[in-house]
Amino acid sequence: MEPSPVKKPFFTPTVIVLIILVVNALVWAFMRFVFGIGAVTNLNNQYPWGIWIGIDVAAGVALAAGGFTTSALAHIFHKEHFHDIVRPALLTAMLGYTFVGMGVFFDLGRYYNIWHVMIFWNGNSVLFEVGICVMAYLTVLYIEFLPIVTDRFIGRVNFRGILSKLNSMIDTLLRFVDRSLSKIMFFFIILGVVLSCLHQSSLGTLMILAGPKVHPLWQSPISPLLFLLSAISVGFPMVIMESIISSRSFGLKSEMDVLSSLGRYVGPLLGIYLAFKIGDMAVRQTFVHLTEINAASIMWIIEVLLGVVIPMRMFFWDKVLTSKPLIFTAAILVIFGVLMNRINTFIVSYTPLYATEVYWPSIGEISITIGFVALEILLYRTLVMIFPVISQPLERIRLKTKFAAKGVIR
Amino acid sequence: MANSSRRDFFKTLGIIGAGAAGLKTKSAGAAPVKIVSDNRMGVLVDTTVCIGCRRCEFACKEAHNLPTGNIEDYDNRTVFEQMRRPDTKALTVVNEYPGTDKKSGPINVKVQCMHCDHPACVSACIVGAFSKQENGSVIWDESLCIGCRYCIVACPFQIPAFEYEKAIEPEIRKCDFCWERTKKGLLPACVNICPVEALTYGKRYELIQEAHKRIEKNPDRYIDHVLGETEVGGTSWLYLANKDFKEMDFPKLDDKPAPGATESLQHAIFAYFLPPAMLFSLLGGIMWLNRKSEENE
Ligand code: SF4
Ligand code: SF4
Ligand code: SF4
């Protein structure tokens, strides 16, 4: 089974809705850059960070963890069985991180100075570490995606007219890139995993500096470890969710055997995460905060019960692993849990010293966040139609070779 | 193929090692200025002396080219009905709190950046735009800032303010200990204007001695606590008062420098780039072993 570009009509009712959401976000984006952050957000000196950081960046990075986890599984631990899911996971990670960068860009007051990060290093700053690792990892992701591009165009460069002279030259270049990359790709694969481990955990260190402003349920000295463990456990559920949705949307059969063997890893991974989370709670005795009923304790219980405990139990159950709707539900719950955790750590648990109000995202902030997600899905759809990302079921391929032999399909 | 790629593999590993070593020296050189000089300056704020005339607010705005309004308006005491915080248009504000008893009258407290000895804002800033100067001032460098507002998240006193209303060149604003004036040998504007000497400018260690002397001489007038002497590892601005600082909206902070925990975590992860390099080699080893076992099958 080889990956190939998906051939389906681009427009569906869902796609139209997504386009509308993107257009709405564009209007707000225009306002943000013309009138400033204050004009479209509810941010102020009490609440300097809102959902653009909490969701677009913190949760975005965590939910793009499918990229490094599958690449580690397939390439480093060399589980050939999972090769088919590496490309879709890579594409999602690449798009995910691109939008993390966009989210940061929107949130920065002096976005045009973003390149300062590469020049003026502050080795003591956690944010610097996150920033530089994310930038480096994004580059690695683009490099890892390059072979897919060469794969698509080698032997297919076909300019017409005056440019046709370039065809063989470009083809040679592509082949050269492809050959050199395949020799050193292992380096970028390992580098990608290392960079991911670094910034996934550093994201958890970010809010430690906020000290008592962060609620003790989330303010933990082992927060970096918890962030890393939760990112690792959300990687495969993301892949499972995407695979099921995209095969449904393209009318392909999803490969349940691959997904269920992938699902087998999730239970133990969530178990490790939960053990550290509860262990940390026991050591620091923060469970006392659960005895009072308030926003923090309710959110904590939702996050842990619905987002960790229940899906963990589900992933340990063979019936769930073999049923498409059940494994999908379990995956969604894990994703929900990690999303909640990031929102809780960065937004819900943050109480300014001199709070006179409570932060709630504005229409503009929500619109732009939703617009990013919509655009990401649209780009994913576009790219899998152009590039060989998704491995399609055997019958189609067989059909194709049959007709190709007859010269019907080239 | 397998052989040649394995050779490449180790060659590349070597290159990373060298690269990582290079990175380390570079980041150490570019670390932010963080000199805590013994002779650093400070200000002692005696809240039992302050009369709440708000002349310091006026002088501060004047010194920082902010719109001041009429000086007579500063006599209007109705502003004290609400607790105010420094923001982009007023780098210092004076608040009022009820006195300990009816006779003693209200207590006024001037608020501004504390100029911490181990400032969270300096540690946080992604590009090192904040720096602790030798004279004690913590100042912000406009040319570096990217407007990420992590400094605001980090500050344990909720001091830095950001110009959210500006689309281009928004600034982080906070008290800069009159950096431009002290460089020329002038007093900070607030200290200079204060009519009752509620503010004393001097070397920090001398101010601490002075503060304890005042407490000793007048034990009834003061509580035995110099705020800023040890809080978050010490601050350049110090406060005396006759009632618990918590009742005057000072945050309850412990003596550990605010950036301590994150910086040690950060440095543990990046100690000479060793942990990342070790992780890299470990993963490389696993990958190599797995490939090899595949070939042997
Ligand atoms: S009070 Fe806040 S802004 Fe001032 S030096 Fe300390 S951390 Fe920085
Ligand atoms: S807003 Fe500016 S000064 Fe504050 S942390 Fe970010 S770059 Fe540094
Ligand atoms: S000028 Fe002096 S007395 Fe007047 S409010 Fe300021 S600190 Fe208090």
Side-chain angles (χ1 to χ4, degrees), chain A residues 251-327:
Chain A
L252 307 170
K253 244 180 88 206
S254 40
E255 309 150 45
M256 274 312 287
D257 62 320
V258 177
L259 297 189
S260 55
S261 35
L262 201 56
R264 264 178 221 291
Y265 294 102
V266 181
L269 288 175
L270 277 176
I272 300 173
Y273 169 50
L274 187 66
F276 275 99
K277 202 165 166 89
I278 301 293
D280 169 60
M281 173 169 248
V283 170
R284 294 185 305 117
Q285 309 201 329
T286 46
F287 42 77
V288 296
H289 299 284
L290 293 178
T291 54
E292 44 196 289
I293 296 183
N294 52 31
S297 62
I298 293 173
M299 292 300 266
W300 193 90
I301 288 175
I302 294 178
E303 174 198 321
V304 175
L305 207 61
L306 220 55
V308 187
V309 178
I310 294 179
M312 181 182 74
R313 178 66 195 89
M314 287 178 79
F315 272 111
F316 272 122
W317 200 357
D318 275 342
K319 208 171 145 202
V320 171
L321 292 176
T322 49
S323 137
K324 192 152 67 166
L326 283 179
I327 201 174

Side-chain angles (χ1 to χ4, degrees), chain B residues 274-295:
Chain B
L274 216 58
M278 266 155 54
L279 179 59
F280 192 99
S281 332
L282 178 70
L283 292 173
I286 295 175
M287 193 173 184
W288 183 70
L289 282 177
N290 281 323
R291 270 198 199 173
K292 208 170 131 178
S293 66
E294 177 110 329
E295 280 159 27

Side-chain angles (χ1 to χ4, degrees), chain B residues 106-179:
Chain B
I107 305 168
N108 290 101
V109 181
K110 175 185 182 300
V111 186
Q112 73 297 307
C113 169
M114 300 291 286
H115 298 276
C116 310
D117 284 345
H118 304 279
C121 55
V122 173
S123 170
C125 180
I126 181 166
V127 289
F130 271 110
S131 57
K132 173 87 175 167
Q133 297 297 320
E134 207 169 338
N135 77 344
S137 323
V138 174
I139 58 169
W140 171 80
D141 182 346
E142 151 134 56
S143 66
L144 296 181
C145 177
I146 66 171
C148 67
R149 310 187 297 286
Y150 190 35
C151 47
I152 309 183
V153 174
C155 172
F157 296 97
Q158 195 181 313
I159 292 298
F162 178 76
E163 294 181 304
Y164 290 92
E165 67 284 1
K166 275 210 201 160
I168 216 84
E169 298 290 74
E171 285 181 21
I172 291 283
R173 292 253 178 86
K174 71 165 197 71
C175 159
D176 62 353
F177 212 172
C178 278
W179 177 240

Side-chain angles (χ1 to χ4, degrees), chain A residues 31-39 41 43-50 52-53 72 75-80 104 106-133 182-195 197-198 201-202 205-213 220-224 350 352-356, chain B residues 1 4-6 8-10 12-13 16 23 26-27 30-32 34 83 85-88 120-128 140 142-158 160-172 248-253 258-263 265-267 269-270 273 276-277 279-281 283-288 290-291 294:
Chain A
M31 305 249 287
R32 181 258 170 268
F33 286 107
V34 175
F35 301 111
I37 295 178
T41 69
L43 300 177
N44 51 42
N45 291 324
Q46 298 174 21
Y47 295 93
W49 282 358
W52 289 353
I53 296 292
H75 296 307
I76 295 180
F77 293 95
H78 219 69
K79 302 263 187 273
E80 283 290 341
V104 171
F106 273 61
D107 193 71
L108 289 183
R110 299 174 170 219
Y111 48 89
Y112 41 83
N113 281 348
I114 193 165
W115 54 273
H116 284 186
V117 178
M118 282 181 276
I119 307 200
F120 306 105
W121 295 27
N122 176 8
N124 287 327
S125 166
V126 184
L127 191 61
F128 165 74
E129 204 267 283
V130 173
I132 207 86
C133 276
S182 74
K183 270 197 199 137
I184 51 164
M185 195 44 94
F186 72 90
F187 165 70
F188 289 109
I189 286 168
I190 310 176
L191 185 62
V193 176
V194 173
L195 287 172
C197 290
L198 289 178
S201 53
S202 292
T205 323
L206 269 186
M207 294 310 273
I208 293 184
L209 192 50
K213 279 174 268 180
S220 155
I222 65 158
S223 189
Y350 188 85
L353 290 171
Y354 305 100
T356 55
Chain B
M1 171 247 154
S4 78
S5 74
R6 208 167 300 144
D8 286 342
F9 193 98
F10 288 113
T12 328
L13 272 184
I16 316 169
L23 286 180
K26 194 173 163 206
S27 72
K34 206 159 120 195
M83 200 255 307
R85 296 291 308 162
D87 60 27
T88 53
C121 55
V122 173
S123 170
C125 180
I126 181 166
V127 289
W140 171 80
E142 151 134 56
S143 66
L144 296 181
C145 177
I146 66 171
C148 67
R149 310 187 297 286
Y150 190 35
C151 47
I152 309 183
V153 174
C155 172
F157 296 97
Q158 195 181 313
F162 178 76
E163 294 181 304
Y164 290 92
E165 67 284 1
K166 275 210 201 160
I168 216 84
E169 298 290 74
E171 285 181 21
I172 291 283
M248 294 178 293
D249 288 326
F250 281 92
K252 171 104 196 66
L253 297 164
T262 46
E263 285 192 8
L265 265 174
Q266 178 86 349
H267 292 159
I269 297 178
F270 280 90
F273 273 86
L279 179 59
F280 192 99
S281 332
L283 292 173
I286 295 175
M287 193 173 184
W288 183 70
N290 281 323
R291 270 198 199 173
E294 177 110 329

